[in-house]
Amino acid sequence: MAISIKTPEEIEKMRVAGRLAAEVLEMIAPHVVPGVTTGELDRLCHDHITNKQQAISACLGYHGFPKSVCISVNEVVCHGIPSDDRVLKDGDVVNVDVTVIKDEYHGDTSKMFIVGKPTIQGERLCRVTQESLYIALRLVKPGIRLRELGRAIQQYVEAQDFSVVREYCGHGIGKGFHEEPQVLHYDADDGGVVLQAGMTFTVEPMVNAGDYRIRTMKDGWTVKTKDRSLSAQYEHTIVVTENGCEILTLREDDTLAAVLENNA
């Protein structure tokens, strides 16, 4: 399958979807507190997407996924299923992953929340993971090889004595939830992909405090670190511009990304 180059009209629709996805993360932030369940957070996100935004959750029903957002806590790497049995407590690190469909186009983003009083390791892991995303986004421009993004992420993360998950990657996005290309977050063959203006894809490094190896639970969705170490992830949907990239899922709290946006 070829990598699609989006038209200005398509990019505008993706701006709308991306803005809505970012808005969900902004909306949910005050609710991520000790004592709340991940099931309640999911219901708040679902209500906001469907009733306020008049949009669709791409996750709900996707290959059978039962909830509207993925919420991954502590050692859960990704695809955590929200539940009323999972109560958040002080020091938890929590990823909320949101994908919104509006007018057929997708906006996909995630960020980490630290519940209550942070632990030193949890705060550092989240900071390093977010910075690894920004390092990659600063490199994006037409003419560079896609694998340069993964190489930069891996070098930075491993220099901090953390590790990068191998089994999951970023992806092209548009009318399709997952399109070409695959965006690896470590240095590996990219099939010769060279970035061009109009490409739209996600960058979403998953970083573990311990070993990079993972395991999938019996529910078929929840992925955890094999050594039970903490894991973190940040994700943005971007479009390659003539001289850099535009972040389609930019949030108001995204200060470093805002600087990048102004320089693009």
Side-chain angles (χ1 to χ4, degrees):
M1 181 180 174
I3 300 171
S4 69
I5 303 298
K6 304 301 192 293
T7 66
E9 293 76 19
E10 288 179 303
I11 292 168
E12 183 54 38
K13 287 186 176 182
M14 292 191 67
R15 282 192 187 101
V16 173
R19 177 65 228 146
L20 293 178
E23 182 184 281
V24 175
L25 292 179
E26 292 168 348
M27 177 280 299
I28 204 63
H31 302 279
V32 185
V33 294
V36 74
T37 67
T38 57
E40 176 62 16
L41 296 178
D42 175 75
R43 285 189 290 275
L44 289 168
C45 290
H46 178 80
D47 180 69
H48 190 83
I49 293 167
T50 56
N51 295 323
K52 183 168 183 181
Q53 298 181 338
Q54 300 296 304
I56 298 168
S57 163
C59 294
L60 185 60
Y62 182 76
H63 294 299
F65 191 79
K67 299 293 182 177
S68 291
V69 295
C70 298
I71 303 181
S72 303
V73 184
N74 293 339
E75 77 278 10
V76 178
V77 176
C78 61
H79 303 158
I81 301 173
S83 167
D84 287 332
D85 294 330
R86 188 60 168 94
V87 180
L88 299 184
K89 63 183 188 304
D90 257 338
D92 283 345
V93 293
V94 183
N95 179 269
V96 180
D97 192 343
V98 179
T99 308
V100 169
I101 305 170
K102 185 72 171 181
D103 294 332
E104 299 186 63
Y105 283 83
H106 292 71
D108 188 3
T109 188
S110 81
K111 68 165 287 188
M112 298 302 296
F113 297 88
I114 300 177
V115 181
K117 185 178 179 181
T119 66
I120 293 173
Q121 184 187 55
E123 190 171 48
R124 181 169 175 266
L125 176 66
C126 292
R127 185 178 71 250
V128 167
T129 305
Q130 185 174 45
E131 181 58 27
S132 76
L133 169 61
Y134 290 149
I135 285 169
L137 296 185
R138 291 186 192 107
L139 293 174
V140 174
K141 62 181 179 181
I144 77 158
R145 283 282 296 271
L146 180 62
R147 74 182 297 170
E148 290 187 38
L149 308 186
R151 180 187 297 127
I153 289 169
Q154 183 179 14
Q155 286 177 347
Y156 176 73
V157 167
E158 292 181 354
Q160 308 301 316
D161 294 322
F162 293 145
S163 64
V164 180
V165 171
R166 306 293 200 267
E167 287 85 350
Y168 293 93
C169 60
H171 50 87
I173 188 169
K175 272 194 173 181
F177 193 166
H178 297 96
E179 301 179 352
E180 294 296 328
Q182 290 191 333
V183 182
L184 302 181
H185 303 115
Y186 60 101
D187 189 19
D189 182 25
D190 60 6
V193 174
V194 176
L195 299 188
Q196 300 177 49
M199 284 183 177
T200 52
F201 55 83
T202 71
V203 184
E204 47 183 298
M206 300 176 189
V207 176
N208 295 347
D211 189 82
Y212 69 84
R213 286 174 293 185
I214 60 173
R215 57 199 176 103
T216 302
M217 301 296 100
K218 290 180 180 179
D219 61 25
W221 284 104
T222 307
V223 176
K224 294 185 178 182
T225 55
K226 197 166 185 180
D227 61 5
R228 300 188 178 183
S229 63
L230 296 180
S231 187
Q233 179 190 24
Y234 283 84
E235 174 183 15
H236 273 310
T237 297
I238 68 167
V239 57
V240 182
T241 62
E242 294 297 337
N243 59 354
C245 74
E246 177 185 346
I247 301 167
L248 301 176
T249 48
L250 193 66
R251 299 183 310 277
E252 290 181 0
D253 67 307
D254 240 319
T255 52
L256 287 175
V259 172
L260 170 70
E261 193 83 352
N262 293 334
N263 291 340

